[in-house]
Amino acid sequence: MRVLLLGSGGREHALARTLAADNDVTDLHAAPGNPGIAAVAATHHVDLADIAAVTALARSTAPALVVVGPEAPLVAGLGDALRAAGIACFGPGRRAAMLEGSKSFAKQVMMAAGIPTARARTCTSEDEAAAALAEFGPPFVVKADGLAAGKGVVVTGDRAAALAHARAAGTVVIEEFLDGPEVSLFAVTDGTTAVPLLPAQDFKRAGDGDSGPNTGGMGAYAPLGWAPPGLATEVLAGVIQPAIDEMRRRGSPYRGLLYAGLSLTAGGVRVIEFNARFGDPESQVVLDRLASPLAGLLAAAAAGSLAGAGPLRWAPGATVTVVIAAEGYPAAPAKGDPIHGIDHAERVPGAHVLHAGTATDGAGRLVSAGGRVLNVVGTGPDLAAARDVAYRAAGAIEMRGGWYRRDIAEAAARGRLSPAAHAQTTPAAHAQASRATRDAGGGAPASPPGP
């Protein structure tokens, strides 16, 4: 099977690595890719915002399957264009991708389908936002309605900061705060049938102890030994399948990856958000645990034949991903800093490194080219071992101003619920969130990579 993978980040490198290891994949192409992806796939330069150019590339490479990584091209209608050209695509069409493209639309679908979620109001004016903040009270949850690369949400006890975010974002969804551990669950679907993947947990705040501003994600781990037994089955029945059924009822069948961000509250599972693609950095740990071939699963979803796919197999053990970020991330990440030591990191048994924001400069050196630069992945028989591998490997990498969180999966590895599950329920965390908002995303203090 020839596969064309679209995207250039850590999620796409994880997908490329998994697809390249699949015996059914005989020819792997990627666009635009990155230096890490180029080691396992033939890369092509293309602007993913140019749907015509991407469609032309797909015609010229003639893949049996196109896998779309990032959300923006899906919301722009790339999946529709590829299918109209007769090209099999793993990724929802434009109308279905609005489950991520509009928080307001997603809430409408959840309400219509009876999916448990937070009470919310869509606000288009400052007066409406002020009324919604008064209705729900602190801590305030304010979400930009459109795509925001995982950084459009403010959770704060500071009403002025919440109102300022609403004013800057324009249309927002303001909702009640959900008190409980957060979990990410992916499901592969063909528009009728859905297959859940392994639940994972990520860490959105920049600093240790969930301090600092929101980011695209500073690390993740799987499996979740503390999660309730049967969580994936419960979410499939009460969240994923109703959403898929509702989208089909609306004439917009959802084919691709449906990501459910969940809060495990005292009252049960509640949906925080839907995304229309593999999560990042959760994919880096979930795909590492997947023992079933990936290409056939995605192709079955694209072809509408998931009902015959059979149960997935998962490797024993655990995986932890630690994100190495550039100086100044998330507000103003530095670029162009040389990166050294990846080869040393990958000599740590059980470790590998995924490229998230890298490039080669004019001298052929590997340099930083984004905010989240590398994903250091550690595997082991349990979380403690996997975490030790990840941090030992991260300590081998050198990049000026590079930094990362030191507490990814720490509490879970010690048999306690991750601090990411509780941080927003404490007054201290509310104060941290407020300071982060007021500081306009200044980022955690930069520190050299180390264990």
Side-chain angles (χ1 to χ4, degrees):
M1 179 191 302
R2 177 177 293 170
V3 177
L4 172 61
L5 171 65
L6 302 178
S8 61
R11 164 185 50 222
E12 286 77 31
H13 193 181
L15 283 163
R17 184 176 185 271
T18 307
L19 289 167
D22 188 332
N23 291 331
D24 292 333
V25 177
T26 56
D27 194 9
L28 181 59
H29 294 254
N34 63 38
I37 293 172
V40 296
T43 58
H44 307 264
H45 177 72
V46 70
D47 180 358
L48 295 187
D50 188 338
I51 291 178
V54 176
T55 304
L57 174 64
R59 285 196 181 101
S60 68
T61 53
L65 177 67
V66 176
V67 178
V68 184
E71 63 274 18
L74 293 169
V75 172
L78 178 57
D80 299 312
L82 291 170
R83 280 186 277 268
I87 300 166
C89 173
F90 180 79
R94 182 186 63 82
R95 291 176 62 190
M98 290 306 290
L99 279 176
E100 178 169 4
S102 170
K103 296 290 192 298
S104 178
F105 175 75
K107 284 290 186 181
Q108 294 170 28
V109 169
M110 285 185 253
M111 291 297 102
I115 296 170
T117 186
R119 293 182 300 122
R121 297 284 182 267
T122 298
C123 305
T124 59
S125 70
E126 186 167 343
D127 286 345
E128 289 178 344
L133 293 175
E135 177 183 358
F136 296 125
F140 304 107
V141 181
V142 185
K143 301 179 177 180
D145 183 52
L147 295 179
K151 297 182 284 294
V153 179
V154 163
V155 180
T156 177
D158 185 333
R159 182 182 179 280
L163 197 59
H165 182 64
R167 187 183 307 117
T171 300
V172 295
V173 172
I174 295 177
E175 62 185 41
E176 66 177 335
F177 178 78
L178 295 175
D179 185 356
E182 294 186 11
V183 173
S184 299
L185 184 75
F186 308 157
V188 175
T189 175
D190 61 5
T192 301
T193 301
V195 177
L197 304 188
L198 194 67
Q201 186 178 68
D202 76 334
F203 293 72
K204 289 295 186 188
R205 295 285 183 184
D208 288 356
D210 288 307
S211 61
N214 214 37
T215 73
M218 296 303 300
Y221 69 95
L224 309 182
W226 52 266
L231 176 62
T233 301
E234 177 186 352
V235 174
L236 179 65
V239 174
I240 300 294
Q241 195 64 54
I244 293 167
D245 293 345
E246 176 64 18
M247 293 306 297
R248 189 173 65 252
R249 187 191 69 78
R250 292 172 178 239
S252 305
Y254 193 103
R255 305 182 186 97
L257 194 289
L258 183 59
Y259 166 125
L262 310 167
S263 179
L264 309 188
T265 75
V269 173
R270 298 290 184 270
V271 177
I272 300 170
E273 65 177 352
F274 282 131
N275 288 337
R277 37 67 190 182
F278 280 97
D280 186 346
E282 300 100 315
S283 294
Q284 288 82 316
V285 294
V286 173
L287 291 173
D288 186 72
R289 293 293 88 205
L290 182 64
S292 297
L294 179 62
L297 177 68
L298 305 188
S305 58
L306 260 184
L312 299 180
R313 293 179 290 108
W314 298 97
T319 302
V320 173
T321 291
V322 175
V323 172
I324 297 182
E327 182 180 44
Y329 177 77
K335 297 181 181 180
D337 288 306
I339 302 166
H340 303 285
I342 290 179
D343 53 341
H344 296 295
E346 293 191 321
R347 291 192 191 115
V348 177
H352 64 271
V353 178
L354 301 172
H355 293 234
T358 67
T360 52
D361 65 9
R365 300 177 304 172
L366 184 70
V367 298
S368 62
R372 294 184 294 170
V373 181
L374 298 170
N375 304 151
V376 183
V377 183
T379 62
D382 54 35
L383 269 181
R387 186 174 183 277
D388 178 66
V389 168
Y391 278 104
R392 281 195 289 129
I397 295 174
E398 299 176 359
M399 181 179 72
R400 188 202 64 81
W403 61 276
Y404 52 81
R405 282 185 60 158
R406 309 303 178 102
D407 64 346
I408 303 300
E410 181 178 28
R414 294 178 177 176
R416 304 195 311 270
L417 193 60
S418 165
H422 289 307
Q424 293 180 346
T425 70
T426 67
H430 298 159
Q432 289 166 345
S434 300
R435 287 194 298 272
T437 303
R438 289 195 298 269
D439 292 345
S447 58

